[in-house]
Structure formats: structure tokens, C-alpha cells
Amino acid sequence: DGGITQSPKYLFRKEGQNVTLSCEQNLNHDAMYWYRQDPGQGLRLIYYSQIVNDFQKGDIAEGYSVSREKKESFPLTVTSAQKNPTAFYLCASSITSDPGETQYFGPGTRLLVL
Amino acid sequence: AQTVTQSQPEMSVQEAETVTLSCTYDTSENNYYLFWYKQPPSRQMILVIRQEAYKQQNATENRFSVNFQKAAKSFSLKISDSQLGDTAMYFCAFKGGYQKVTFGIGTKLQVIP
């Protein structure tokens, strides 16, 4: 079955540590996205990529970094510069030819700070 | 900038009854897309329904339908014959122009047996 996988399901970060969240899709979608979800704030866009080897900052990119070396993969690194990383992180993809950019989501990763 | 407002933080409905979730948006775009997404307790976000602004007809997906009022910039979701599996957070979302998708803060729906 086609879909998006995210790993791990839960991730714990120590102070000053960088951690990487994995996102893989086999939908053959060109565009991929990372969102952060906090209670009462909906989903906020961190980074997005519309093509391999290219990505753009979203609304809350500070303290995060991404790479897009393969079409299928869009990992997100939460750096030590992100002072409040505890949140639920959602990866999504969309078809570039879809002007509405309907989002297809992965199951999410819950990041907690120790 | 485009904004999406969901003014009902929480709602409840009796099983088999009908419930309507509200969403309003603000945009200067003439052509755009509106969505309702569902996030059940498992937290897997799934698309419920999509509406293109240029279409007059309201979108329908089985028990889910929308009331799209373009002039009023309103996009409500009606769930008929509510089922226990409809218990979830519901997010309204908007996509217009070159902006990326914008999400509302969500409405938590509880279906009561």
C-alpha cells in the first residue's frame, strides 16, 4: 500500500542534542512538508520541498533543518537552537500538479524533551 | 495574508444525530481550495472533504457535506448520522494563490453513545 511512514513514533531529546525525524513516502509525490502541532495552535508549517535538492522555509523554520536528497525522503532535524521542541510533528506530501495541494499525512512523531 | 478561523473549540453530538462545524476564512484570492481534515485519537490526519471555490455545488462525501458560502467566506462541515468513529479533531484548511496551506486551530468533536 502507498503511504507515508514516520519514525520513530516517540522521540526523546536531551538538552543541547540534535535529533532527526524520519519521513518516507512511496506515493511518488514531488512535494513534501513538515508541520508542527501544538495544542490550541493547529498545524504550523516548518519547511517544505517541491523538488529534490530544493526546500523552502515555512512559518516557523528557526531551530530546524531539512534535506531532500531523494524524492522519497524528507528528514527533519530539530537542532539545539530550537528551545521549545516538545510537540507533535507531522510529515505530509502532495502532488505538484494539484493546485490545491491536498495534503497526505504520515502518522506523526511525538518529540519530548528530557 | 490568509487566515482560517474555527470558533468552536469543542462540540458534542449524540450518536445518529447531525452536527455542523463552523469555519470562516479571510482572503483576497478569487480562486482557492478549502478542506476539512479529521484527526482521530490515533492522530493520523485524513482528508474528509475538499471544495474548489470556483465550483458552485457544495462537496459531499457520504455522510459529510459542506455549506460553502463564498460571499460570506464561510465553509461549514455537516456530519449526518454521527457515528462513534467520528470522534476526532476536525481542522479546516485553506489554499489560495502561491501561499501554502493554512490550517485552523481545530474543533474537538465528541460523539456520545
Side-chain angles (χ1 to χ4, degrees):
Chain A
D1 288 336
I4 300 179
T5 57
Q6 291 186 241
S7 61
K9 187 173 182 179
Y10 296 96
L11 186 58
F12 299 91
R13 194 191 88 163
K14 296 180 181 179
E15 293 290 338
Q17 187 181 42
N18 292 353
V19 292
T20 297
L21 285 61
S22 170
C23 177
E24 303 278 333
Q25 55 101 357
N26 61 3
L27 298 169
N28 200 33
H29 288 174
D30 290 303
M32 297 186 74
Y33 311 79
W34 274 105
Y35 293 93
R36 171 176 170 144
Q37 184 178 17
D38 296 281
Q41 294 195 50
L43 277 68
R44 292 182 291 169
L45 183 63
I46 304 172
Y47 268 99
Y48 64 98
S49 168
Q50 294 183 297
I51 197 168
V52 174
N53 293 323
D54 188 43
F55 48 83
Q56 282 77 42
K57 293 181 179 180
D59 301 319
I60 56 165
E62 186 175 350
Y64 300 97
S65 66
V66 294
S67 62
R68 186 85 187 277
E69 297 176 2
K70 299 186 300 182
K71 185 176 182 177
E72 300 80 15
S73 178
F74 191 41
L76 173 74
T77 296
V78 184
T79 74
S80 57
Q82 173 50 242
K83 298 307 178 188
N84 185 24
T86 296
F88 189 65
Y89 291 87
L90 284 161
C91 179
S93 68
S94 71
I95 303 168
T96 304
S97 60
D98 172 12
E101 295 184 0
T102 297
Q103 306 282 288
Y104 296 82
F105 287 91
T109 292
R110 179 75 173 164
L111 176 60
L112 297 166
V113 177
L114 296 177
Chain B
Q2 55 203 33
T3 59
V4 177
T5 302
Q6 294 181 250
S7 58
Q8 304 154 314
E10 295 189 28
M11 294 189 72
S12 61
V13 62
Q14 291 290 137
E15 195 175 4
E17 296 296 309
T18 296
V19 64
T20 299
L21 309 183
S22 301
C23 174
T24 59
Y25 57 94
D26 191 21
T27 184
S28 58
E29 299 286 343
N30 188 48
N31 192 28
Y32 47 86
Y33 301 81
L34 293 157
F35 308 85
W36 279 99
Y37 286 90
K38 171 184 177 181
Q39 187 179 42
S42 68
R43 307 204 75 173
Q44 173 77 59
M45 293 272 285
I46 56 174
L47 177 70
V48 175
I49 204 162
R50 162 177 162 148
Q51 174 82 43
E52 289 84 3
Y54 62 85
K55 290 187 177 179
Q56 300 279 358
Q57 190 171 6
N58 289 327
T60 299
E61 284 289 340
N62 300 315
R63 297 181 296 106
F64 299 87
S65 61
V66 298
N67 182 7
F68 173 47
Q69 301 289 328
K70 191 171 183 179
K73 296 181 180 175
S74 172
F75 183 61
S76 59
L77 175 70
K78 185 172 84 170
I79 306 174
S80 304
D81 186 25
S82 296
Q83 300 176 359
L84 295 178
D86 296 333
T87 291
M89 284 289 288
Y90 287 83
F91 292 94
C92 180
F94 173 99
K95 169 72 174 77
Y98 294 104
Q99 302 275 349
K100 291 296 147 187
V101 178
T102 300
F103 290 83
I105 64 171
T107 294
K108 185 176 181 181
L109 177 66
Q110 180 74 41
V111 180
I112 302 167

